[in-house]
Amino acid sequence: MTEGLGARAPKYHRVADALRREIRDGELAPGQRLPAETTLVERFRMSLPTIRQALGVLRAEGLIESRHGIGTFVKEQRRLQRRSRGRYGSARDHQKLLTHHLRHDIVFAGRGPVPGHIAEVMGIEPGTEVVIRRRHLFDKDTNQPEEIGASYLPVEVAGGTFLEQPKVVPTALFLCVEDLTGRRYTRAHDQWIARMPTAEESGILELPTGASVMHVVHVARDEDGDVLEVSESIWPADRVIVIDDYLIEQEAEQPTAASEV
């Protein structure tokens, strides 16, 4: 039981490590019910609180799930693949909203004060009025919540348009913005943050205690460097794989004057 962790590691970590390896090695298969807590107490010769603490770690990691009145089971490890760099090209090719197996619910659309963390990347004062579109995404098959998202657009870009209506747009949002403004998305910047969820996020995403989220803030600019849209997405960390596919630069960038000093 101590192959993965040293003997000085907390007892519950050693139990969690042993069960984690059994899950990843296939000894405990997806959908399989874990032994009862009393059986684990006997197996590991640990107290019931220690066993429950270990199971809490695995639950937070998304490896197991508890079903009320039935037991604890190994979760199916299906993760959504997120490819930020390919989102624009795919949408331009298909000229439609790429929903895949997700259902979009627009929970708010209209004007409101921009949050401080979004104002910072937009280069405007916190509280400035912008057009906000908030959405929740659900798996179409299971109805499981998969994402909390929002888009923030300058009033001069989206004000007085159908983007202020709480309806799913017919094409990708950026295509709508390009059609409305005649300006083209040309450069984007993503900021990734791994953190614990707020109480509201945990409730919406139905997260177990201790589970973390991935929070990405995406800033899109036009040819002149002006912000057309800032979007943010919050995903359960155990349900997402981030894939970044890019060309490798063949020449080093020339140092700037400042870096030579």
Side-chain angles (χ1 to χ4, degrees), residues 39 46 69 74 182 203 221:
T39 302
M46 301 287 185
V74 179
R221 301 178 182 273

Side-chain angles (χ1 to χ4, degrees), residues 116-132:
H117 67 290
I118 300 297
E120 182 178 358
V121 297
M122 291 185 79
I124 58 179
E125 289 295 321
T128 300
E129 187 177 67
V130 296
V131 173
I132 304 173

Side-chain angles (χ1 to χ4, degrees), residues 28 52 86-87 91 110 125 129 133-134 136 143-144 186 200 222 229 252:
L28 290 171
R52 287 178 174 171
R87 71 167 73 176
E125 289 295 321
E129 187 177 67
R133 293 179 58 84
R134 300 190 184 279
H136 295 167
N143 207 39
Q144 181 181 47
T186 58
E200 181 182 17
D222 66 9
E229 175 198 352

Side-chain angles (χ1 to χ4, degrees), residues 92-113:
R92 289 192 197 283
D93 289 342
H94 294 89
Q95 291 292 304
K96 63 181 179 181
L97 182 64
L98 300 179
T99 58
H100 301 294
H101 63 282
L102 297 177
R103 185 187 85 245
H104 291 61
D105 286 358
I106 305 301
V107 297
F108 175 83
R111 303 189 189 194

Side-chain angles (χ1 to χ4, degrees), residues 184-238:
R184 189 175 177 86
Y185 284 53
T186 58
R187 187 171 183 83
H189 173 83
D190 288 343
Q191 174 180 294
W192 295 86
I193 304 167
R195 61 171 176 80
M196 298 306 294
T198 65
E200 181 182 17
E201 292 164 353
S202 184
I204 294 172
L205 294 171
E206 301 177 2
L207 300 176
T209 301
S212 59
V213 295
M214 289 298 299
H215 183 177
V216 60
V217 177
H218 177 80
V219 185
R221 301 178 182 273
D222 66 9
E223 301 94 328
D224 298 324
D226 295 326
V227 174
L228 288 175
E229 175 198 352
V230 174
S231 66
E232 63 178 343
S233 299
I234 299 165
W235 305 310
D238 67 302

Side-chain angles (χ1 to χ4, degrees), residues 35-46 48 51-52:
E37 291 178 346
T38 52
T39 302
L40 295 175
V41 166
E42 295 177 2
R43 171 187 167 184
F44 292 105
R45 297 182 181 179
M46 301 287 185
L48 182 58
I51 295 299
R52 287 178 174 171

Side-chain angles (χ1 to χ4, degrees), residues 41-70:
V41 166
E42 295 177 2
R43 171 187 167 184
F44 292 105
R45 297 182 181 179
M46 301 287 185
S47 68
L48 182 58
T50 297
I51 295 299
R52 287 178 174 171
Q53 200 170 5
L55 295 177
V57 170
L58 300 179
R59 196 174 294 112
E61 292 176 359
L63 294 176
I64 63 174
E65 61 182 348
S66 297
R67 301 175 189 172
H68 184 67
I70 302 177

